[in-house]
Amino acid sequence: MLRLEQLSKNFGGLPALSQVSFEVFPGQVTALIGPNGAGKSTLINCMTGVLQPSSGRVLFRGAAISSLAAHQIARCGIARTFQNLKLFPRLSVLDNVLTGLTCEAGSSMVMAMLRLPYLRHRERRLRLRALEALDRFGLGDKADWPAAVLAYGDKKRVELARATVGNPQLILLDEPVAGLNAAETAAVGEQLHLLRRAGHTLLLIEHDMDLVMKLADQVVVLDSGQKIASGTPAEVRRNPRVLEAYLGCMEATA
Amino acid sequence: MPELADFLQYSFSGLTSGAIYALIALGFCVVNNTMGIVNFVQVDFVSLGGMLMFSALFALGLPMVPGVLLAVAGVALVAMLVERFGLRPARSENPLVLIFLTVGLSIILRGLIKLVWGKNRMALPPLTPDLPLEFFGASLLPQALWILFLTLIAIVLLLWFFYRTPLGLSMRAVASNSTAAAVVGIPAGRVRLTSYAIAGALGGLAGVLVTPITTLNYDVGVLLGLKGFAAAILGGFGSFPGAILGGVGLGLLESLSAGYLSSAYKDVVAFVVLLLVLFVRPKGLLGK
Ligand SMILES: Nc1ncnc2c1ncn2[C@@H]1O[C@H](COP(=O)(O)OP(=O)(O)OP(=O)(O)O)[C@@H](O)[C@H]1O
Ligand SMILES: [Mg+2]
């Protein structure tokens, strides 16, 4: 479904990604793991047009998307969340989630002005869907709050609702449970399981190994910008290079 | 009671010019919110509105209502051309570069207006015949009532558009966080184009409404635009309620100080108050 070919990214001469290639298969959860600074966030920034890759290609359903603008990539059906939250702080929680339906809303000025009845009907349906998405993440009662005043865990879940509400073909999640408490982590984990069971394709960056091992069909391991291993969770767990680069230090700190 | 009549007269004329400043200030805010820049072409949108109205009435012989619609739509269209062919080709996100471009484009547009309509002062008739109405001893011009009424309509339409339509949501999203807006699929180009169209329509409407009271010439918008800019800053640059409050506040200040002190000092008084407000509240009255 999504293929990276020799993707590289330099920041002022310093390589953050070198020649990373792998594939995300439809209906699967692919986990991307690696120690801090490995280049995971940089990778999905390059995939979503937030950053321009220095070289290499990203193919989505066979078409190169690496030269497209971020909004065009989103319109191909790729949604994402950010590690350090990118909500619309001044908008209400409901409006934040509604923006996740931009690709379906159609924002022609003339159409918006004419306010045809069938459009009004469609807008009502979109609002209902946004409210349902908020309910799924337990935020239904905060729909009218400005996003800026929410607690961290709630903000994180608003972003998840925004990324999933439009049924995108591919969802990229950058550390969805980082900073959440145990109860919130369990609730988000539950939602990710539901997404997986519903056949969604996910690329999941996460340091929570429990979650990764339970959810992932395939694990890709990044270290210092290079792919050092990939395979099933069980395979990766046994890989000595991974243990050395990543799991070892995680267990030491855990 | 002549005091009451005077006070009403001053307040009413302050409200009228305040409404015009508010329209112009809202135009500055709309573009600032989506692009993070001061759009100096806004001042020429005002002049162009008056000019197009003049041509609609006297060259095309249109009645008032289609004339107003044509003039406002015409300025909106020109504003879109300014964004599409004047700013976008620069492919720059740097606010300084973009602001400088708007200064240049403003000079070019003013030159074109001078070329097409000449340097002479022209007179535009008011929307309806000028028979003053008496109100507690103050006399109100029908044109002033039109200004207040149509400004109110424009503000309601603007708020409805921003808070009740999908494209309005997209525009608020871009204003709030442009990276997040891009990754949910909002095309920044279309949002910028729309914000220029709206700014053009607001400036054009201001020009159509005010030039029957002032006079009409190719740079009539410059001073008015500066006042509109001041109003936007006074209210808190970018805030819609701030722009309205700033516009009306500035208009009232001007006319009350002209009435009770001296008309020679009305600009001075208005700008001294503007400075004092900004010293106390650097973000403006309603700025965030
Ligand atoms: N915009 C940038 N400019 C310069 N260097 C950057 C930039 N973004 C990331 N880097 C560098 O690239 C490297 C990879 O960073 P990245 O954020 O992708 O790591 P990560 O794997 O997501 O780490 P974490 O687990 O902490 O989120 C780091 O060394 C980082 O300092
Ligand atoms: Mg990261």
Side-chain angles (χ1 to χ4, degrees):
Chain A
M1 166 167 259
L2 181 93
R3 201 159 82 226
L4 308 189
E5 290 180 349
Q6 311 281 325
L7 203 72
S8 300
K9 175 72 187 173
N10 304 322
F11 288 114
L14 292 174
L17 290 173
S18 15
Q19 313 267 333
V20 178
S21 305
F22 66 86
E23 191 165 350
V24 173
F25 298 99
Q28 289 199 352
V29 176
T30 303
L32 184 61
I33 64 171
N36 292 116
K40 307 179 295 293
S41 298
T42 304
L43 190 69
I44 68 169
N45 285 341
C46 287
M47 289 160 54
T48 49
V50 173
L51 291 174
Q52 283 299 309
S54 309
S55 66
R57 294 203 303 168
V58 182
L59 299 169
F60 184 61
R61 302 175 150 251
I65 57 168
S66 17
S67 58
L68 297 182
H71 76 268
Q72 292 169 316
I73 295 177
R75 281 173 182 263
C76 295
I78 301 180
R80 66 168 292 177
T81 65
F82 289 85
Q83 179 172 2
N84 45 1
L85 291 173
K86 290 212 189 308
L87 287 176
F88 304 110
R90 293 205 292 268
L91 270 53
S92 74
V93 167
L94 179 62
D95 280 347
N96 266 276
V97 179
L98 271 172
T99 62
L101 293 163
T102 301
C103 303
E104 292 169 56
S107 45
S108 151
M109 175 107 175
V110 184
M111 304 268 266
M113 285 299 175
L114 289 179
R115 210 115 179 102
L116 302 170
Y118 92 92
L119 279 178
R120 255 200 307 246
H121 181 67
R122 197 171 66 179
E123 268 167 50
R124 253 201 308 275
R125 274 207 323 264
L126 294 181
R127 283 178 85 81
L128 275 179
R129 273 173 63 189
L131 282 168
E132 279 166 20
L134 279 174
D135 278 335
R136 276 199 295 281
F137 287 95
L139 291 164
D141 53 334
K142 294 178 182 157
D144 295 326
W145 293 26
V149 307
L150 294 183
Y152 181 80
D154 287 348
K155 285 183 179 163
K156 206 92 187 160
R157 283 178 291 160
V158 173
E159 224 188 33
L160 276 165
R162 184 178 74 189
T164 53
V165 66
N167 284 318
Q169 303 186 36
L170 174 64
I171 308 172
L172 313 176
L173 302 171
D174 198 347
E175 307 201 10
V177 301
L180 300 190
N181 63 34
E184 291 169 332
T185 301
V188 169
E190 174 66 21
Q191 288 306 316
L192 297 185
H193 273 290
L194 287 176
L195 285 172
R196 184 190 131 108
R197 216 168 306 149
H200 282 279
T201 311
L202 265 62
L203 179 66
L204 171 70
I205 298 180
E206 194 40 78
H207 285 297
D208 184 324
M209 280 309 129
D210 244 18
L211 194 66
V212 167
M213 293 301 158
K214 268 189 242 154
L215 270 173
D217 299 289
Q218 183 201 193
V219 181
V220 175
V221 189
L222 223 53
D223 186 22
S224 312
Q226 307 198 348
K227 184 176 102 172
I228 59 167
S230 66
T232 64
E235 283 165 9
V236 165
R237 217 200 310 239
R238 275 185 266 111
N239 186 317
R241 275 189 78 186
V242 178
L243 287 174
E244 184 191 330
Y246 187 73
L247 292 178
C249 81
M250 282 299 289
E251 270 152 24
T253 55
Chain B
M1 268 197 297
E3 292 84 11
L4 177 67
D6 282 351
F7 178 74
L8 282 176
Q9 191 77 59
Y10 301 148
S11 308
F12 200 70
S13 91
L15 271 180
T16 311
S17 44
I20 296 294
Y21 300 154
L23 284 175
I24 301 170
L26 287 167
F28 275 110
C29 290
V30 169
V31 170
N32 172 70
N33 287 355
T34 50
M35 297 176 68
I37 62 167
V38 182
N39 168 38
F40 283 106
V41 196
Q42 188 68 38
V43 307
D44 303 288
F45 294 161
V46 179
S47 316
L48 186 62
M51 291 299 182
L52 287 178
M53 183 69 182
F54 185 85
S55 293
L57 294 183
F58 299 116
L60 302 179
L62 290 179
M64 279 295 172
V65 174
V68 173
L69 292 176
L70 187 78
V72 171
V75 182
L77 185 70
V78 169
M80 288 164 87
L81 295 175
V82 165
E83 195 281 329
R84 186 63 189 81
F85 299 105
L87 291 174
R88 210 180 298 181
R91 300 172 130 269
S92 174
E93 298 278 327
N94 182 343
L96 278 180
V97 171
L98 292 173
I99 292 172
F100 177 74
L101 280 176
T102 71
V103 173
L105 288 162
S106 161
I107 293 169
I108 293 172
L109 185 56
R110 207 172 313 147
L112 288 175
I113 294 174
K114 187 156 59 169
L115 206 67
V116 174
W117 283 278
K119 282 194 284 189
N120 293 334
R121 293 185 169 273
M122 299 181 271
L124 206 55
L127 292 179
T128 47
D130 246 348
L131 296 173
L133 312 167
E134 287 290 319
F135 182 76
F136 287 104
S139 68
L140 315 180
L141 290 179
Q143 182 71 10
L145 293 173
W146 277 117
I147 289 180
L148 294 179
F149 176 65
L150 291 178
T151 299
L152 207 63
I153 301 269
I155 289 171
V156 169
L157 273 177
L158 187 75
L159 295 179
W160 169 79
F161 171 75
F162 269 86
Y163 291 94
R164 288 284 180 274
T165 69
L167 185 53
L169 174 62
S170 293
M171 302 200 51
R172 286 184 293 132
V174 169
S176 187
N177 185 333
S178 57
T179 310
V183 304
V184 297
I186 296 172
R190 188 188 295 175
V191 164
R192 291 170 176 193
L193 199 65
T194 310
S195 67
Y196 260 79
I198 294 172
L202 289 165
L205 180 63
V208 166
L209 292 175
V210 78
T211 43
I213 293 185
T214 61
T215 52
L216 176 60
N217 68 325
Y218 74 97
D219 63 357
V220 62
V222 174
L223 191 60
L224 288 167
L226 183 68
K227 301 266 180 68
F229 182 47
I233 303 237
L234 180 63
F237 207 54
S239 153
F240 287 172
I244 297 164
L245 189 68
V248 170
L250 190 64
L252 284 175
L253 261 174
E254 272 186 358
S255 85
L256 291 176
S257 55
Y260 290 112
L261 303 171
S262 150
S263 63
Y265 296 123
K266 71 170 194 174
D267 290 346
V268 179
V269 171
F271 278 87
V272 165
V273 172
L274 176 75
L275 290 182
L276 290 179
V277 170
L278 292 179
F279 289 162
V280 180
R281 277 190 65 90
K283 290 177 172 184
L285 294 172
L286 301 180
K288 293 191 192 86

